[in-house]
Amino acid sequence: MKTLGTASAAPGEMDTGRLQVGETRDGGEFGLPVAVINGAEDGPTLYVQAVSDGDELNGLGVLQRAIPQIPPADLSGTVLVVGIVNYHAFQVAEHRNPIDDTKMNRTYPGDESGTSSERIAAATFEAASRADLILDLHQGSTSRMLNEVRVRCGQRHRLHEECLELAKVFGCGHVLDQKGPDGQLARAGPDEGIPTIDPELGGCVGWDEESIRYGVEGVFNVLRYYGFLDGDVNLEPQTRATGFDRYGSPSGGLVRFRKELGEAVEVGDVLFEITDPFGQLKAEVTADDAGVFWRSRRLPQVATGEYVCSVGTDVGEF
């Protein structure tokens, strides 16, 4: 039997349940929705989670579509799934956990006696630590962003090549290979010796079907490549950025972009303009480095110094 929380599956079976992690403000217990797919044959273990940030729903869309398509009778190994990590934030469609005003993906490996977010991180990290591979499904919150995979362990980490290989297998087309902040699961997993990636599946409010499709294909690429399921995977070249330039607005007004997501950027190219409410030009911002137009804000209105867009730099293929 393979178990996760109240879910328990015999070989060749699947079960769903809840991973209890605390109580709500009215004293009632709450648990995270979990699933266990126990293959008919022995093999490795894959851990997948989604909605670490409460407004990033594309990963949940991936699980909703992918999990019913994984046949336990044909599976070698085990798939452990936490469908909604940031329980409290998901309930109110917010990015951060409103109980402790914390970004969940800065609290790993967690603390079982700590804050709300630290306790959830500890419970999910215990499950993730049982795996051979970890997928932490994200998206660009409400920003517009490429479909990409992030390798966050750092290029000097002993598992860097394994994480980079996992990113290539997932196969979104773009990879940001840059060491992430402390507390990210994609940092904590490799420190435990487990290749871990952070697919950032586009960015939207609600579902984005194209990004969800990338995620479903990525999950099945991983299952096939690493021997959970039969089938071949054609590894496609990925565009890899190891730098990330962020641009803010030099003045308040309305943004008019001059680059599209995925478009090549050269030094000096105009990235965006700022206009007043009547269309009069107030400022334009140009690229400091060559790269790829990677991410941009969704709403046009900005204040002085507010984030506008990002360019992936030091770009090559692998």
Side-chain angles (χ1 to χ4, degrees), residues 246-253 255 272 274 285 297 301-309:
R246 293 170 56 91
Y247 293 87
S249 179
S251 60
V255 176
F272 62 89
I274 304 297
V285 172
R297 67 181 292 109
Q301 64 268 39
V302 290
T304 303
E306 193 169 3
Y307 171 78
V308 177
C309 67

Side-chain angles (χ1 to χ4, degrees), residues 19 23 45 60 72 97 100 111 143 197 216 284 294:
L19 177 63
E23 297 181 348
T45 297
L60 180 58
N97 182 348
D100 54 18
D111 180 350
S143 297
I197 57 171
V216 171
E284 65 178 21
W294 205 274

Side-chain angles (χ1 to χ4, degrees), residues 90-265:
F90 175 79
Q91 302 302 320
V92 292
E94 293 181 1
H95 192 72
R96 300 162 71 92
N97 182 348
I99 302 301
D100 54 18
D101 191 30
T102 297
K103 183 175 173 65
M104 182 72 67
N105 201 30
R106 297 293 185 273
T107 61
Y108 283 94
D111 180 350
E112 62 183 12
S113 300
T115 65
S116 172
S117 295
E118 289 171 338
R119 290 169 187 250
I120 293 172
T124 53
F125 192 67
E126 188 281 327
S129 297
R130 294 156 51 187
D132 299 288
L133 302 164
I134 297 173
L135 304 179
D136 183 15
L137 304 179
H138 286 262
Q139 71 185 60
S141 190
T142 57
S143 297
R144 298 170 61 249
M145 192 164 68
L146 293 172
N147 291 291
E148 53 149 317
V149 176
R150 296 191 170 185
V151 173
R152 301 306 248 163
C153 62
Q155 295 178 36
R156 295 184 179 181
H157 197 282
R158 69 186 189 281
L159 254 63
H160 176 252
E161 290 302 317
E162 289 89 342
C163 292
L164 200 61
E165 179 182 45
L166 181 56
K168 186 169 187 175
V169 170
F170 197 89
C172 275
H174 291 82
V175 174
L176 179 64
D177 182 11
Q178 187 182 63
K179 189 173 183 178
D182 290 340
Q184 289 191 324
L185 179 56
R187 284 278 308 275
D191 286 347
E192 290 294 310
I194 308 169
T196 306
I197 57 171
D198 174 354
E200 293 274 357
L201 300 170
C204 67
V205 178
W207 302 123
D208 172 14
E209 291 296 337
E210 180 186 34
S211 296
I212 290 171
R213 178 176 57 79
Y214 270 101
V216 171
E217 291 176 358
V219 169
F220 278 96
N221 284 346
V222 169
L223 291 173
R224 295 183 179 113
Y225 185 86
Y226 290 96
F228 294 87
L229 293 173
D230 290 338
D232 296 326
V233 178
N234 294 321
L235 298 185
E236 301 289 340
Q238 304 291 297
T239 298
R240 173 191 178 205
T242 58
F244 207 52
D245 289 348
R246 293 170 56 91
Y247 293 87
S249 179
S251 60
L254 301 169
V255 176
R256 179 187 296 151
F257 288 107
R258 293 305 189 191
K259 291 290 182 180
E260 298 292 334
L261 292 178
E263 190 174 349
V265 172

